[in-house]
Amino acid sequence: CAALTAYNALNGPVPVKAGDHVLVLGTGGVSIHALQFAVAAGAVVIVTSSSDEKLKVAAKLGAKHVINYRTQPDWEQEVLRI
């Protein structure tokens, strides 16, 4: 069901398209599916997590930007900069 939730979020009334920026909060099931769907659509994906290991996995899955919100507590400013 996580995949369906992510799919519907990205392909609802205004589907994600190449060049869009997608922010994924966390590295749980819905987030990882959203990352994969967004990458497949050609979007630029930003992922946040408190785990550097999980961020490495996200990068391998195609995330262009990864942010550890524990080591960078002002992560939202980094997102806006991107």
Side-chain angles (χ1 to χ4, degrees), residues 25-67:
L25 300 176
T27 51
V30 174
S31 296
I32 293 299
H33 281 93
L35 163 62
Q36 293 174 309
F37 288 136
V39 167
V44 175
V45 182
I46 307 162
V47 178
T48 67
S49 177
S50 62
S51 166
D52 287 333
E53 290 302 312
K54 290 181 180 180
L55 289 172
K56 287 179 189 175
V57 171
K60 287 181 183 177
L61 291 173
K64 296 290 183 211
H65 306 277
V66 294
I67 303 169

Side-chain angles (χ1 to χ4, degrees), residues 60-80:
K60 287 181 183 177
L61 291 173
K64 296 290 183 211
H65 306 277
V66 294
I67 303 169
N68 184 320
Y69 58 78
R70 286 194 193 222
T71 59
Q72 192 164 0
D74 59 341
W75 62 267
E76 69 281 357
Q77 294 303 316
E78 179 64 15
V79 169
L80 293 173

Side-chain angles (χ1 to χ4, degrees), residues 9-22:
L10 294 171
N11 293 292
V14 181
V16 67
K17 62 188 179 311
D20 286 350
H21 283 70
V22 174

